[in-house]
Amino acid sequence: MQKIETVQQFEQLAETKPRFFFMKHSLTCPISSNAFTDYQAFLNNNREEEGFYLAVQESRELSNHIAEKYGIRHESPQVFLFIDGKPGWNASHWHITEKELSKL
């Protein structure tokens, strides 16, 4: 799992990776902490999947860019599955679980 901090880094991912997961993670929210733990567990147990994340407090510009570009209201925590450069699925808060991610 790799941390992404800039719009440029994210855009490169969207242009070059056919499928990847991306999480907006809050460093101060306990719900986000639980979701982040499940996100990490999912990626550790599904090595064929690629996962990336941002810390909202550190990358506000990128977080806003994703919300505006794709017309999906910002939430935190929030996970996306990007397919061919577009979000094919997203969930927030308590809907982010290892079990739910494994269904994708």
Side-chain angles (χ1 to χ4, degrees), residues 7 15-16 22 29 49 52 55-56 69 81 85 88 90 100-101:
V7 171
E15 291 171 12
T16 60
F22 195 87
C29 171
E49 298 289 3
F52 303 88
V56 175
K69 179 173 182 173
L81 169 58
N90 76 87
E100 285 302 312
L101 293 167

Side-chain angles (χ1 to χ4, degrees), residues 21 37-46 49 98 101-102:
F21 286 87
T37 298
D38 270 28
Y39 183 64
Q40 286 178 304
F42 164 73
L43 292 171
N44 287 336
N45 291 324
N46 295 275
E49 298 289 3
E98 184 179 0
L101 293 167
S102 294

Side-chain angles (χ1 to χ4, degrees), residues 17-36:
K17 303 281 184 192
R19 176 185 167 100
F20 65 95
F21 286 87
F22 195 87
M23 180 175 192
K24 291 183 176 184
H25 172 52
S26 170
L27 300 173
T28 57
C29 171
I31 296 170
S32 191
S33 179
N34 288 338
F36 193 71

Side-chain angles (χ1 to χ4, degrees), residues 28-83:
T28 57
C29 171
I31 296 170
S32 191
S33 179
N34 288 338
F36 193 71
T37 298
D38 270 28
Y39 183 64
Q40 286 178 304
F42 164 73
L43 292 171
N44 287 336
N45 291 324
N46 295 275
R47 297 279 182 189
E48 71 281 2
E49 298 289 3
E50 290 191 87
F52 303 88
Y53 74 100
L54 65 78
V56 175
Q57 291 87 341
E58 298 170 351
S59 301
R60 182 78 57 190
E61 180 184 3
L62 174 54
S63 180
N64 291 341
H65 171 78
I66 293 169
E68 291 168 13
K69 179 173 182 173
Y70 300 106
I72 298 173
R73 185 173 70 105
H74 165 77
E75 297 190 60
S76 177
Q78 187 172 36
V79 173
F80 299 87
L81 169 58
F82 282 88
I83 301 170

